[in-house]
Amino acid sequence: MTAQAVAKEMIRHGRGGSIAIIASMSGTVANRGLICSAYNASKAGLIQLARNLASEWGPHGIRVNTLSPGYIVTAMVEALFEQYPERKRDWPTQNMLGKLSKPEEYRGAAVFLISDASSFMTGSDMRIDGGHAAW
């Protein structure tokens, strides 16, 4: 609904624009050891939604892409680690960099997606997961 509202204004002003939707690596891969099919399906849905919106709104000069982070250490994840300490140990071993990410590591990608630096990019998913899905 937010993307629709934003696109409606972009179309009304006639100048195009860029929409970045936050998805997840979980929209591309199943998370080892986790039962989270509803979450993964919703993130895969966002990736496909962005592709379809890109095709619908491209003629209006509106680009739509997704940003798919890997595991990020947030306050919510820290609380999860208290409940499941093995995840704090295991998750870093599941990517090529051997670490978990921090929210600030996605700033550059987000700026890229909404700026003119990505002016020929639409309908794409930018997965930043430390190499998690490359294995």
Side-chain angles (χ1 to χ4, degrees), residues 34-48:
L34 298 181
I35 299 171
C36 54
S37 57
Y39 177 82
N40 290 13
S42 72
K43 294 305 183 173
L46 288 173
I47 294 168
Q48 188 60 28

Side-chain angles (χ1 to χ4, degrees), residues 15-56:
R15 292 186 304 221
S18 180
I19 297 172
I21 297 173
I22 305 302
S24 171
M25 71 171 182
S26 301
T28 304
V29 299
N31 302 73
R32 180 179 294 171
L34 298 181
I35 299 171
C36 54
S37 57
Y39 177 82
N40 290 13
S42 72
K43 294 305 183 173
L46 288 173
I47 294 168
Q48 188 60 28
L49 174 66
R51 287 183 189 124
N52 282 270
L53 294 179
S55 71
E56 291 176 27

Side-chain angles (χ1 to χ4, degrees), residues 120-135:
F120 195 61
M121 182 179 180
T122 195
S124 295
D125 179 47
M126 180 180 278
R127 190 177 63 238
I128 303 174
D129 64 1
H132 185 103
W135 278 332

